[in-house]
């Protein structure tokens, strides 16, 4: 990377006319060093050097950016990102107007959105490499689900800094709950003077997508070279299982990724950016079908009340909290949870004792426990209830996924995010686990430490979903910081 002094403009450092002129700055293994040239170097030659990965950095900077921990190239990257307000809004607007819905959600997939974004990136970022990695899917008109990579080369190819965002969104749901068209981005200012970008997908996952894009755009616009290769990965199918997105890439294109790469997924976080998600609980969703014998409500002795048996089963399953009582402070709550949720309708009238009942449990298990352990305990309780009420109870797993190994707190990706957040926001970020599964789990199972991080108000999937423009651009600054870390 070459970083050049400006020539005779306000605020430029002046040197003795006989001294060698500093004309650039290059990264060395120990930091940055200045390049010098003889005083007779012509202005024409200087201009040529300036065009080769160069950047004028020695002019007066706005006071808020005067952070002694930030080097000059990074400081100018941050200032550049503050100039992208309207461009970021416009990209959000164009993305929002394209409903990228999976076939499961009644859509034709992500092709139209992917094609638009691919074309936009080609002209705005001028990536060094673009690669399509499409997953075959006969259910959509084009026959595939789009995934693609935009790569910009860095000073070293020893590792890649990945930022992954998903192209698909969820349906808007009940339109009466929205205050406007979900597919038309609206920009409103809240009571704190913050600009809210409202529309389906604005936060999930277009905030992370646009943040990553503009962090790279700042690099390209200023002709700065990141420390390592930077790759933006855009995937399909995140909202409905990632079979045609992350899972497909890890199965068919595993060699794209290395264990020493940094994998950042800006798809979850808190409203300050202090949480770095590094672990997940195992998910176990269970369906219990209880079969008894239906009878009249006035003659319960002639039947076997499936509803009563299922209710007692729910009560007994609460004992799982005591059976699996370990605590892990990385999570909130710091323990495993076992909760009854959905219940299907049994009989339509009050005076009939039901002979069938169906209920569901949502269990979230600390990584310290195996799903098989919990299932064994559940079956023991079910046998007890069957005997007590003379009913038959069948168990089926709606989802039973063992948590992936957590990403270490000491992993380079966690340290890189933490360093950027500390320097830029004066916060002490905390690696944490969450109760839900994320796409990061697929990478962790493949031996690639992944971290999920973003700054958001958590409005995903809700009516009037929004992201804050300041969060979008401030997150881009964190990514820019990571790009420049040696």
């Amino acid at each position: 990377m070459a970083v050049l002094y400006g020539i005779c403009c306000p605020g430029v450092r002046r040197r003795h006319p006989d001294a060698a002129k500093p004309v650039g700055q290059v990264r060395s293994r120990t930091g940055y060093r200045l390049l010098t040239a003889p005083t007779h170097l012509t202005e024409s030659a200087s201009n040529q050097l300036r065009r080769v990965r160069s950047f004028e950095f020695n002019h007066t900077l706005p006071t808020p950016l005067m952070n002694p921990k930030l080097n000059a190239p990074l400081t100018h990257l941050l200032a550049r990102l503050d100039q992208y307000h309207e461009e970021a809004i416009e990209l959000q607007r164009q993305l929002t107007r394209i409903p990228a819905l999976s076939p499961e959600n009644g859509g034709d997939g992500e092709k139209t959105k992917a094609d638009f974004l691919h074309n936009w990136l080609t002209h705005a970022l001028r990536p060094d490499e673009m690669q399509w990695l499409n997953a075959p899917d006969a259910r959509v008109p084009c026959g595939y689900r789009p995934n693609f990579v935009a790569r910009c080369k860095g000073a070293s190819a020893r590792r890649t800094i990945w930022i992954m965002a998903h192209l698909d969104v969820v349906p808007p749901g009940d339109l009466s709950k929205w205050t406007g068209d979900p597919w038309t981005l609206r920009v409103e200012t809240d009571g704190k003077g913050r600009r809210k970008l409202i529309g389906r997908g604005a936060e999930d996952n277009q905030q992370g997508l646009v943040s990553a894009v503009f962090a790279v755009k700042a690099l390209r616009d200023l002709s700065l070279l990141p420390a390592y290769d930077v790759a933006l990965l855009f995937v399909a199918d995140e909202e409905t299982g990632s079979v045609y997105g992350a899972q497909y890439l890890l199965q068919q294109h595993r060699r794209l990724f290395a264990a020493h790469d940094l994998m950042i997924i800006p798809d979850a976080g808190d409203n300050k950016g202090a949480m770095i998600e590094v672990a997940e609980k195992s998910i176990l969703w269970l369906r219990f079908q209880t079969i008894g014998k239906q009878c009249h409500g006035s003659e319960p002795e002639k039947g076997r009340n499936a509803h009563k048996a299922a209710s007692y089963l729910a009560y007994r399953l609460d004992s799982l909290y005591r059976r699996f009582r370990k605590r892990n402070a990385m999570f909130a709550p710091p323990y495993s949870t076992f909760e009854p949720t959905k219940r299907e309708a049994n009989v339509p009238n009050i005076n009939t004792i039901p002979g069938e009942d169906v209920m569901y449990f949502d269990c979230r298990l600390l990584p310290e426990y195996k799903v098989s352990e919990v299932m064994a305990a559940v079956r023991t309780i079910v046998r007890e209830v069957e005997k007590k009420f003379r009913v038959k109870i069948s168990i089926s797993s709606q989802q039973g996924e063992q948590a992936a190994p957590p990403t270490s707190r000491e992993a380079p990706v966690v340290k890189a995010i933490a360093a950027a957040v500390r320097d830029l926001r004066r916060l002490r970020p905390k690696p944490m686990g969450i109760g839900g599964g994320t796409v990061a789990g697929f990478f962790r199972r493949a031996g690639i430490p992944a971290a999920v991080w973003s700054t958001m108000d958590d409005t995903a999937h809700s009516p009037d979903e929004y992201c804050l423009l300041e969060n979008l651009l401030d997150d881009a600054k964190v990514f820019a910081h990571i790009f420049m870390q040696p």
Side-chain angles (χ1 to χ4, degrees):
M1 174 174 58
V3 186
L4 305 185
Y5 280 113
I7 299 176
C8 297
C9 60
V12 170
R13 181 183 303 166
R14 298 182 181 275
R15 298 174 60 89
H16 190 279
D18 295 330
K21 294 181 180 178
V23 297
Q25 187 184 49
V26 296
R27 181 184 299 278
S28 69
R29 292 187 178 181
T30 56
Y32 291 92
R33 59 186 176 86
L34 289 176
L35 297 177
T36 61
T39 57
H40 63 268
L41 185 69
T42 67
E43 182 174 343
S44 174
S46 295
N47 287 337
Q48 290 175 6
L49 280 172
R50 184 177 291 108
R51 285 194 296 272
V52 182
R53 302 289 185 190
S54 66
F55 183 70
E56 298 177 60
F57 71 87
N58 203 42
H59 59 274
T60 303
L61 298 170
T63 302
L65 296 178
M66 290 293 190
N67 183 336
K69 291 187 177 182
L70 307 183
N71 59 54
L74 176 57
T75 299
H76 285 79
L77 271 175
L78 304 183
R80 184 74 174 197
L81 283 163
D82 283 330
Q83 300 174 21
Y84 290 142
H85 285 232
E86 298 309 315
E87 290 181 71
I89 292 172
E90 182 57 27
L91 181 54
Q92 272 272 27
R93 179 175 286 112
Q94 295 299 323
L95 293 170
T96 301
R97 62 186 289 271
I98 307 172
L101 299 172
S102 68
E104 292 90 337
N105 288 325
D108 292 333
E110 306 85 356
K111 181 182 185 300
T112 302
K113 189 173 185 178
D115 287 346
F116 164 79
L117 182 61
H118 189 278
N119 183 64
W120 192 96
L121 294 172
T122 299
H123 292 90
L125 300 192
R126 309 172 305 282
D128 296 306
E129 297 175 12
M130 297 278 273
Q131 184 180 11
W132 287 102
L133 304 161
N134 298 328
D137 186 353
R139 300 173 301 164
V140 295
C142 67
Y144 63 85
R145 307 291 289 281
N147 305 286
F148 71 94
V149 178
R151 181 182 293 270
C152 296
K153 294 182 179 179
S156 169
R158 186 170 60 85
R159 67 162 38 129
T160 297
I161 302 170
W162 293 91
I163 302 184
M164 193 194 86
H166 62 87
L167 298 164
D168 58 322
V169 299
V170 296
D174 185 353
L175 294 178
S176 69
K177 304 293 185 183
W178 288 77
T179 58
D181 178 5
W183 308 113
T184 300
L185 189 78
R186 289 175 289 132
V187 182
E188 297 181 359
T189 303
D190 67 11
K192 299 179 181 178
R194 304 174 303 178
R195 299 174 80 181
K196 295 168 65 174
L197 313 185
I198 305 169
R200 175 54 82 224
E203 184 181 77
D204 183 20
N205 184 220
Q206 288 165 201
Q207 176 183 322
L209 186 158
V210 177
S211 290
V213 164
F214 277 92
V216 174
K217 188 176 190 303
L219 282 175
R220 306 300 269 185
D221 287 352
L222 298 175
S223 297
L224 289 173
L225 202 62
Y228 302 99
D229 286 3
V230 172
L232 303 183
L233 175 60
F234 305 99
V235 298
D237 195 34
E238 190 273 347
E239 297 291 1
T240 50
S242 294
V243 172
Y244 301 93
Q247 290 196 67
Y248 171 80
L249 296 176
L250 288 166
Q251 291 166 5
Q252 302 298 323
H253 301 280
R254 175 64 181 82
R255 298 177 74 176
L256 274 174
F257 313 104
H260 57 267
D261 287 348
L262 305 189
M263 176 60 70
I264 303 169
I265 302 172
D267 198 23
D270 60 20
N271 61 7
K272 294 184 182 299
M275 182 187 82
I276 304 173
E277 187 267 290
V278 297
E280 303 166 1
K281 292 181 179 179
S282 299
I283 299 177
L284 180 60
W285 290 352
L286 296 175
R287 179 182 186 268
F288 298 91
Q289 182 184 33
T290 302
I291 303 296
K293 182 180 179 182
Q294 183 173 308
C295 65
H296 196 280
S298 65
E299 300 176 306
E301 74 282 1
K302 294 182 178 181
R304 293 189 295 277
N305 194 326
H307 181 70
K308 181 186 287 186
S311 297
Y312 183 74
L313 173 62
Y315 163 74
R316 287 291 293 116
L317 289 172
D318 201 59
S319 65
L320 295 173
Y321 276 102
R322 297 187 295 276
R323 168 70 176 77
F324 301 96
R325 59 179 180 272
K326 290 181 181 177
R327 301 176 76 86
N328 186 330
M330 182 180 287
F331 293 88
Y335 46 82
S336 301
T337 59
F338 310 89
E339 290 297 318
T341 54
K342 178 181 175 180
R343 196 157 203 163
E344 295 181 7
N346 43 40
V347 293
N349 53 309
I350 296 174
N351 61 340
T352 296
I353 289 175
E356 181 180 3
D357 188 275
V358 177
M359 70 171 182
Y360 298 79
F361 258 66
D362 183 336
C363 309
R364 308 295 172 119
L365 317 176
L366 291 177
E368 288 85 346
Y369 295 115
K370 293 181 179 179
V371 169
S372 57
E373 291 181 79
V374 176
M375 283 301 301
V378 168
R379 291 190 184 98
T380 298
I381 294 171
V382 163
R383 287 194 294 269
E384 171 199 319
V385 175
E386 285 179 320
K387 183 177 180 181
K388 180 177 178 68
F389 289 88
R390 296 181 298 121
V391 297
K392 179 65 177 176
I393 301 173
S394 61
I395 313 168
S396 58
S397 174
Q398 306 298 290
Q399 184 170 336
E401 191 170 315
Q402 188 68 41
T407 295
S408 169
R409 293 169 178 262
E410 301 302 314
V413 65
V414 177
K415 289 185 172 182
I417 296 171
V421 173
R422 281 196 303 269
D423 286 355
L424 297 176
R425 303 190 185 179
R426 299 294 193 265
L427 292 175
R428 185 181 295 276
K430 182 179 181 182
M432 293 184 66
I434 62 171
T438 72
V439 70
F442 299 120
F443 289 93
R444 291 174 185 144
R445 288 188 189 91
I448 302 164
V452 181
W453 176 88
S454 190
T455 310
M456 55 179 55
D457 280 4
D458 194 19
T459 64
H461 297 207
S462 66
D464 282 353
E465 175 186 351
Y466 71 86
C467 85
L468 294 176
L469 181 61
E470 68 177 44
N471 286 347
L472 187 158
L473 291 174
D474 285 349
D475 284 4
K477 293 175 182 178
V478 169
F479 299 147
H481 188 294
I482 293 168
F483 296 161
M484 304 306 288
Q485 292 176 20

